[in-house]
Amino acid sequence: MNDYPLLNLFLTMMYVFLWVLWFFLLFKVVTDIFQDHSLSGWAKAAWVIFVIVLPYVGVFVYLIARGRGMGRREVQQAKEREAAFKQYVRQAARDESEAGPGGGHVSELAQLAELKDRGHLSQEEYEKAKQKLLV
């Protein structure tokens, strides 16, 4: 134990943390490169090669050159996903209302879940009934 003092343990933990942080940043940059629709295929290829060949310089140059847009693109994608989810919910509710009272898969699944929650159905029975509805 005397060969590995507490300071060395702390430094090792810090290096591991920085190493994991670096990979997180690298993956975030590469993900942003591929999700950016304003970049052409050649520009994406050039950025990826730059980030792979000179990883530290490439990532830092990317963050300086395009870092501000990363946040905007992420917010825009979140808004698009939320809008798509809301559209799906509206469509499912519309389909449910068109099926009439007591009809449709959504209400049947809700009834099955309620029966399972009350203890009238076991987990296996619930899974089997759910599979019948979804097929």
Side-chain angles (χ1 to χ4, degrees):
M1 289 303 259
N2 292 337
D3 296 334
Y4 202 70
L6 189 59
L7 181 61
N8 285 343
L9 177 66
F10 174 75
L11 289 175
T12 303
M13 287 175 31
M14 186 180 71
Y15 292 146
V16 169
F17 174 76
L18 290 174
W19 186 69
V20 169
L21 184 67
W22 168 252
F23 276 106
F24 176 78
L25 184 61
L26 183 66
F27 291 143
K28 185 74 174 163
V29 166
V30 171
T31 301
D32 186 66
I33 290 170
F34 284 110
Q35 289 180 346
D36 187 6
H37 301 298
S38 66
L39 285 176
S40 69
W42 289 104
K44 288 179 183 183
W47 274 113
V48 169
I49 290 171
F50 189 42
V51 167
I52 290 174
V53 172
L54 298 170
Y56 292 106
V57 175
V59 167
F60 292 131
V61 168
Y62 185 84
L63 289 175
I64 291 168
R66 302 183 48 83
R68 185 172 294 178
M70 285 177 73
R72 279 191 238 125
R73 284 187 293 278
E74 192 169 333
V75 168
Q76 180 64 30
Q77 288 171 355
K79 286 180 182 178
E80 290 171 1
R81 283 191 300 266
E82 183 179 359
F85 176 73
K86 285 181 179 179
Q87 177 63 27
Y88 171 76
V89 169
R90 274 190 237 110
Q91 183 65 36
R94 188 176 311 122
D95 291 346
E96 180 69 21
S97 66
E98 289 173 0
H105 292 300
V106 176
S107 65
E108 291 176 19
L109 284 172
Q111 289 172 353
L112 280 175
E114 187 177 333
L115 287 172
K116 186 183 90 124
D117 291 341
R118 288 185 184 170
H120 298 298
L121 289 176
S122 68
Q123 182 67 29
E124 295 81 23
E125 294 170 330
Y126 171 74
E127 292 297 327
K128 287 179 185 177
K130 187 172 82 169
Q131 287 301 323
K132 285 182 183 179
L133 282 175
L134 296 176
V135 172

